[in-house]
Amino acid sequence: MNIFEELGGKNSVFKCKKYLDHRFLPDNLPHRDDQIKSVAKYWIEALKGVTPPDVTIYGKTGTGKTAVAKFARKQLESISKEKDVNVRVEYIRCTDYTTEYQVIARLCQQMGQDVPYRGWTKAEVVHAFRDLFKKNVFGKNLILMIILDEIDILLKNDGDGLLYTLTRTENVSIASISNYVDFKQFIKPRVKSSLRDREIVFPPYNAQQLVDILKERSKLSFEDGVLNGDVIPLCAAMAAKEEGDARYALDLLRTSGELADEKGSETVYEDYVREAKEYIEHNKVTDIIMTLPSQQQKVLESILYLTKRKEEITSGRLYDVYKEFSKGDSVSYRRIFDFINELEMLGLISTKTISRGRGKGRTNIIDLQCDTELLEDAMWENN
Ligand SMILES: Nc1ncnc2c1ncn2[C@@H]1O[C@H](COP(=O)(O)OP(=O)(O)OP(=O)(O)O)[C@@H](O)[C@H]1O
Ligand SMILES: [Mg+2]
């Protein structure tokens, strides 16, 4: 028997797994009506031929920001076609295109203009982009909506030049998506004032909302009756604890199903969800650590060391330990703050500022946000 037939013929609890994939965009997004309406309320201007205000979408990871933005894009595209209005919506994930140059080059490419990803000056790329409007490549009065997803790191590393350029291009409306509440600190006043932005906040999902989301998705993806009674509530409860992350909830459900298949079980049991949780967390931390530069890993190692000793971790103390660990090959004290920031954005640590009382100033305290054993395993595997 052919190996693929043999594997393919195996019984599975899944009807169609793709509906649990992150990239799948459902037609229905429970508990996001308000956010969808908020976006639509601004974007509707485009249908009247007016450039909509810029919007900023904030929220923690897995709260549906990307899904809502893509959903709104689909709807706007379809209605503008119907009404014959000249609107385009371009989506860019700024973790794939990490500088102003790259984003604008990508925009040009998506709009059919061949611009190289390197080699030109920034001015040349911007010029090519603006030419698309000047020369009416897409007809007169084009309104261009640009979704800049995951914009935080770009702003932090490349500055606000991208926003400066785009806000100064007529007929362009920006929707930036961020999960770092503080991201506006990277935008200078000259840009802030022209970014006529409206903020839309995405609160974390609670357990009940996650149940609704999972039910909907599981109907499409699992065979009838294979999920034991508490599987969905358990996935939802675990994800609600992880700051209401719907992606995590979906991962738990999918991995639990995969475990059932692996074990040859026709039912997904609650225990598989617990097993799935361990598996996912292990992978998540291992993946992050593998991509960290080695100096960054040393910083994390130092945090782990101090955490295990139950010491309070101030940046000063951290730097001392880090210097020991890196054996002379260390970066400056200032650079450590960048590392701390990045580790925080990755969700591996959290920081808080505390006041030591009158006259003693304020201190930054660092807390590890993942299990010490898990982290240790992952670091060990990586070495
Ligand atoms: N209301 C919802 N209904 C159905 N699925 C949802 C809903 N909200 C989120 N999801 C799903 O959960 C996953 C995560 O959502 P999404 O990618 O939109 O989160 P995000 O806020 O962009 O997160 P991040 O900040 O990490 O990019 C996606 O697979 C998405 O389809
Ligand atoms: Mg997203």
Side-chain angles (χ1 to χ4, degrees):
M1 195 180 189
N2 182 296
I3 177 76
F4 294 101
E5 252 177 71
E6 196 180 316
L7 287 174
K10 260 195 180 170
N11 281 341
S12 171
V13 293
F14 294 106
K15 186 155 59 188
C16 183
K17 228 196 263 186
K18 87 163 194 233
Y19 297 114
L20 291 174
D21 194 283
H22 299 157
R23 284 156 300 182
F24 171 71
L25 180 61
D27 288 332
N28 182 20
L29 297 164
H31 305 291
R32 279 300 173 249
D33 286 349
D34 289 350
Q35 285 73 17
I36 293 171
K37 277 193 194 127
S38 301
V39 175
K41 190 177 76 192
Y42 301 123
W43 283 12
I44 198 170
E45 297 290 317
L47 297 178
K48 305 174 200 152
V50 179
T51 311
D54 303 315
V55 298
T56 311
I57 292 174
Y58 289 108
K60 294 227 162 101
T61 193
T63 51
K65 301 181 298 294
T66 301
V68 163
K70 287 190 168 172
F71 179 84
R73 166 172 86 170
K74 226 165 116 185
Q75 297 254 303
L76 182 63
E77 280 174 344
S78 97
I79 190 133
S80 37
K81 203 178 271 168
E82 203 175 289
K83 292 193 183 282
D84 202 20
V85 210
N86 198 2
V87 178
R88 268 184 89 101
V89 191
E90 297 296 341
Y91 172 90
I92 306 244
R93 201 168 72 156
C94 303
T95 38
D96 296 336
Y97 303 92
T98 53
T99 59
E100 174 183 1
Y101 180 113
Q102 284 179 14
V103 170
I104 295 182
R106 178 67 193 167
L107 277 170
C108 290
Q109 296 218 345
Q110 282 178 197
M111 298 176 75
Q113 187 81 335
D114 204 13
V115 168
Y117 282 118
R118 55 172 62 90
W120 286 15
T121 63
K122 201 188 288 182
E124 282 170 321
V125 183
V126 171
H127 196 72
F129 175 67
R130 291 202 168 130
D131 258 4
L132 293 171
F133 293 87
K134 263 194 221 127
K135 296 188 178 146
N136 290 324
V137 175
F138 295 96
K140 271 201 171 144
N141 308 322
L142 168 73
I143 293 182
L144 180 62
M145 317 286 303
I146 304 173
I147 302 170
L148 299 172
D149 202 354
E150 303 184 24
I151 195 173
D152 313 283
I153 306 243
L154 183 148
L155 284 181
K156 187 163 175 281
N157 295 340
D158 194 50
D160 60 7
L162 174 64
L163 293 178
Y164 186 77
T165 301
L166 294 181
T167 52
R168 271 164 181 70
T169 307
E170 257 178 79
N171 298 3
V172 165
S173 166
I174 309 164
S176 24
I177 304 180
S178 146
N179 45 31
Y180 190 57
V181 240
D182 254 3
F183 96 101
K184 282 217 176 131
Q185 80 187 61
F186 302 116
I187 306 178
K188 295 192 200 88
R190 59 163 194 171
V191 176
K192 251 184 213 157
S193 61
S194 52
L195 192 71
R196 302 150 298 152
D197 79 323
R198 313 292 143 99
E199 293 180 7
I200 303 170
V201 178
F202 282 51
Y205 294 115
N206 64 33
Q208 188 49 51
Q209 293 172 327
L210 289 168
V211 166
D212 295 336
I213 291 170
L214 291 181
K215 273 196 181 146
E216 192 103 348
R217 300 278 287 255
S218 68
K219 269 187 261 165
L220 300 166
S221 46
F222 283 97
E223 296 288 355
D224 286 344
V226 297
L227 298 179
N228 234 20
D230 282 334
V231 165
I232 285 185
L234 190 57
C235 292
M238 284 175 174
K241 258 198 210 150
E242 294 291 320
E243 313 199 291
D245 180 349
R247 183 182 299 113
Y248 185 61
L250 288 165
D251 279 347
L252 277 173
L253 191 61
R254 196 195 59 244
T255 310
S256 309
E258 285 167 350
L259 284 170
D261 277 1
E262 229 172 76
K263 295 172 200 279
S265 167
E266 285 172 9
T267 306
V268 183
Y269 295 102
E270 288 77 6
D271 266 349
Y272 300 172
V273 180
R274 294 183 192 102
E275 215 175 301
K277 179 174 190 254
E278 268 173 36
Y279 176 82
I280 291 169
E281 267 162 29
H282 178 86
N283 276 0
K284 190 167 76 187
V285 176
T286 318
D287 284 354
I288 295 179
I289 288 172
M290 261 169 31
T291 58
L292 286 182
S294 70
Q295 290 298 337
Q296 187 88 300
Q297 289 193 18
K298 290 272 183 310
V299 174
L300 193 58
E301 240 177 83
S302 316
I303 296 174
L304 177 64
Y305 170 81
L306 288 166
T307 307
K308 283 173 66 182
R309 288 170 53 112
K310 300 201 179 354
E311 278 191 45
E312 186 180 67
I313 312 174
T314 60
S315 21
R317 179 77 180 111
L318 174 63
Y319 190 59
D320 288 341
V321 173
Y322 158 78
K323 266 196 307 201
E324 288 279 313
F325 278 4
S326 50
K327 298 190 187 78
D329 180 27
S330 46
V331 300
S332 70
Y333 185 55
R334 280 199 48 152
R335 189 82 179 92
I336 288 290
F337 284 98
D338 293 336
F339 285 172
I340 292 174
N341 248 328
E342 281 158 29
L343 291 174
E344 187 171 18
M345 282 204 209
L346 290 167
L348 290 173
I349 61 167
S350 70
T351 64
K352 60 171 187 282
T353 316
I354 59 165
S355 166
R356 295 266 193 223
R358 205 183 279 237
K360 297 216 177 103
R362 301 168 73 76
T363 316
N364 241 338
I365 303 288
I366 298 157
D367 259 318
L368 196 60
Q369 286 298 308
C370 59
D371 190 65
T372 50
E373 249 172 68
L374 203 80
L375 187 57
E376 223 164 3
D377 280 355
M379 294 214 165
W380 191 80
E381 262 175 49
N382 194 38
N383 275 326

